[in-house]
Structure formats: C-alpha cells, structure tokens
C-alpha cells in the first residue's frame, strides 16, 4: 500500500471488500507524481518501499530524476535497478527532466540521444518494471513508430490504461526556427497512438480509458468560439499541447465510457489533488504527490481518489 500517501482504516477496508464483492473488476492503482524532482533517488525509494500492498494492481511513477541530477548512464542504470526491486508492477511515465535538458561534456544538447537511451533501458520489454510483471503493448510494436516504446497501454478489469510522452515544458516545443523535428515527429506518433487507443477501447467495450503524462494538456479547456473568439487576443506563443488536447476531447466525446487524464503538473500551494469532470472527460493533476485511485463500477462513478500527502 502507499502508506505515505493513503491511510486505509478498518471502515475503508470493509468498504473496499464489499465493493470488490459487488464488482469483480474493482481494483486500485497508485500514481506517483514527480517525486524525483524534489528528492531524487531517496524520494523514489521511499515511495516504492511503501507500495507493497498486494491489492495494488500497479504503480505509475512519473520521472526518474531531478533537473540538477546527472543524465549519465550510471544514474539511469541505478534508477532502473531501483524499479526492478519494486514489489508491485511499475510503469514509468517519462518527464522532461529525464532528457530534454541533457547536455554532453562540450555543453551541447544531447537530449535526443538521452531519450533513445532511456527507451532502450526502461522500455525494452513488453511488460512493466518491478518484480511482478504486468504485460503491456507498446507503440514500438508498430513498424512505423519503432522508436516510441515509452507509449504503452495495458488493461486491468474493464479499464484501459496508457502512457503518452508529453513533457511538461510545453511538450518540448522549441521556439527557435528549425529546432522542432523531435516535437513534430512525436506529434505524429502521439496522434496515431491516441487514435489507436480509442479504437481498441471501442472494440473491446471497456468502461473507461486512463491516460498518464507529465505535462498538463488542460483537457477540460474549451476553445473560444463565436464573438468570444473574435474578441480574443492573439496567443502569445505556440501551445505545444493544443493538438493532443483537441484530439482527446474529440475522442472522449465519441466514447461511451469515462476518460481520465492524469498528469504531474504542479499544484497551487497547499492544494490537494482532485478529479475535475466535464461530461465524461476528467482531469487529475498530482504534482509531486503520491495518491491511490480506487476503480469500481460503471457510469459516472468509476474513479474515487484516495487521500494524498506531500
């Protein structure tokens, strides 16, 4: 259990048991925000040590390192070894800190090389990390997108889960001309990935789809239209999340179940994670918190958020 994030008392435990008796697909999963950005390896180790509850279906961990930590293979390998020791299945959701700011000994960016190395080291198998493996299907199984192994989907009960690489810093969009080949190629891959996910979700008739990313695409943001659009000022810069947001909104509108987008965007001071809904589309930002989500039932009450702490 995520002892540092959720306290389940006897009454809650009884409720969970009754819930599972009513719904054979009921389960729980954990989501760890960008802990490494604040506490490095010690913070990651602490939360993994606490995630030992056999009833926890899996744990999604956002990021492996902070912005001031090394981008070298030695650190990457140490974090891989740490995840391999975890008792529960671990899914790694990449952050921009893991690769976008990396530079070589000459001070030049080597972000793309480091991203490829992360893919080799953490996403080489068709399964989760951790001692107990959870089978996953990777975007890299598609010949056209063999590089994008970090995008993976899996199913627990009647819910489809998936990761998508959307770094927090405006989806790694670079304003300087001629520097956005990585962003543009990943945009194409993510577009294909989202289309594929919702096609599978429809085919398999799942109750819900959950997407994990680092960056906040603001999925509930509504585009301006009519007079409001005419009066709206021109945007001050390129919105790197606009296409993903638009695609998720369109797909969710045509999907019969719930769609929950979870990211690790920062929260206002003293704020706690909370799920906000607009129709069947939900959004949860966890910051650096570790929280537990209980999944049961259908309709509007599939997801219930556990207690969160810093």
């Amino acid at each position: 259990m995520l002892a540092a994030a959720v306290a389940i008392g006897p009454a809650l435990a009884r409720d969970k048991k009754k819930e599972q008796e009513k719904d054979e697909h009921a389960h729980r999963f954990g989501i760890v925000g960008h802990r490494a950005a604040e506490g490095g390896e010690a913070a990651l180790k602490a939360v993994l040590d606490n995630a030992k509850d056999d009833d926890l279906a899996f744990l999604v961990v956002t990021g492996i390192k902070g912005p001031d930590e090394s981008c070298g293979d030695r650190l990457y390998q140490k974090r891989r070894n740490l995840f391999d020791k975890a008792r529960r299945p671990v899914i790694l959701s990449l952050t921009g800190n893991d690769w976008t700011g990396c530079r070589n000994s000459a001070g030049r960016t080597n972000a793309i090389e480091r991203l490829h190395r992360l893919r080799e080291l953490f996403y080489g198998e068709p399964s989760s990390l951790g001692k107990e493996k959870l089978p996953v299907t990777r975007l890299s199984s598609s010949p056209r997108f063999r590089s994008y192994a970090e995008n993976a989907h899996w199913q627990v009960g009647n819910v489809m889960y998936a990761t998508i690489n959307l770094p927090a810093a405006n989806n790694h969009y670079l304003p300087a001309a001629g520097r956005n080949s990585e962003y543009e190629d990943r945009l194409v891959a993510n577009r294909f990935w989202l289309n594929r996910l919702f096609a599978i979700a429809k085919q398999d008739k799942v109750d819900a789809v959950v997407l994990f990313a680092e960056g906040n695409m603001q999925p509930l943001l509504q585009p301006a239209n009519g007079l409001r659009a005419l009066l709206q000022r021109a945007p001050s810069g390129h919105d790197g999340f606009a296409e993903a947001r638009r695609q998720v909104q369109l797909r969710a509108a045509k999907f019969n179940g719930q769609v929950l987008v979870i990211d690790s965007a920062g929260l206002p001071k003293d704020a706690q994670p909370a799920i906000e809904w607009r129709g069947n589309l939900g959004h949860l930002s966890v910051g650096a918190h570790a929280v537990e989500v209980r999944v049961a039932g259908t309709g509007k009450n599939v997801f219930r958020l556990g207690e969160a702490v810093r």
Side-chain angles (χ1 to χ4, degrees), residues 119-139:
R119 287 166 169 164
E120 292 173 356
L121 194 57
F122 289 92
Y123 304 105
E125 302 88 28
S127 62
S128 68
L129 304 173
K131 291 180 179 179
E132 184 175 332
K133 303 298 184 183
L134 184 67
V136 303
T137 300
R138 301 195 182 280
L139 176 53

Side-chain angles (χ1 to χ4, degrees), residues 97 225 230:
N97 282 341
N225 51 51
L230 292 174

Side-chain angles (χ1 to χ4, degrees), residues 149-252:
E150 69 273 20
N151 288 353
H153 74 79
W154 64 100
Q155 187 168 328
V156 178
N158 207 32
V159 177
M160 171 187 278
Y161 297 92
T163 52
I164 181 168
N165 189 354
L166 296 170
N170 200 29
N171 201 13
H172 197 224
Y173 174 84
L174 303 175
R179 298 179 60 197
N180 273 302
S181 60
E182 186 282 324
Y183 164 82
E184 291 164 359
D185 290 347
R186 186 162 41 80
L187 210 65
V188 173
N190 284 344
R191 184 188 307 131
F192 175 88
W193 183 236
L194 287 169
N195 286 337
R196 178 175 172 180
L197 291 175
F198 281 95
I200 295 172
K202 181 178 180 181
Q203 175 184 305
D204 292 352
K205 299 180 180 179
V206 299
D207 293 328
V209 174
V210 181
L211 300 174
F212 300 94
E214 182 203 9
N216 180 3
M217 72 169 77
Q218 296 182 286
L220 306 187
L221 181 67
Q222 294 298 299
N225 51 51
L227 179 60
R228 180 179 163 213
L230 292 174
L231 296 175
Q232 189 178 60
R233 293 181 180 179
S236 58
H238 179 83
D239 181 354
F241 295 112
E243 179 164 340
R245 175 171 60 250
R246 182 167 51 249
Q247 191 176 1
V248 167
Q249 289 175 344
L250 289 172
R251 287 294 182 176

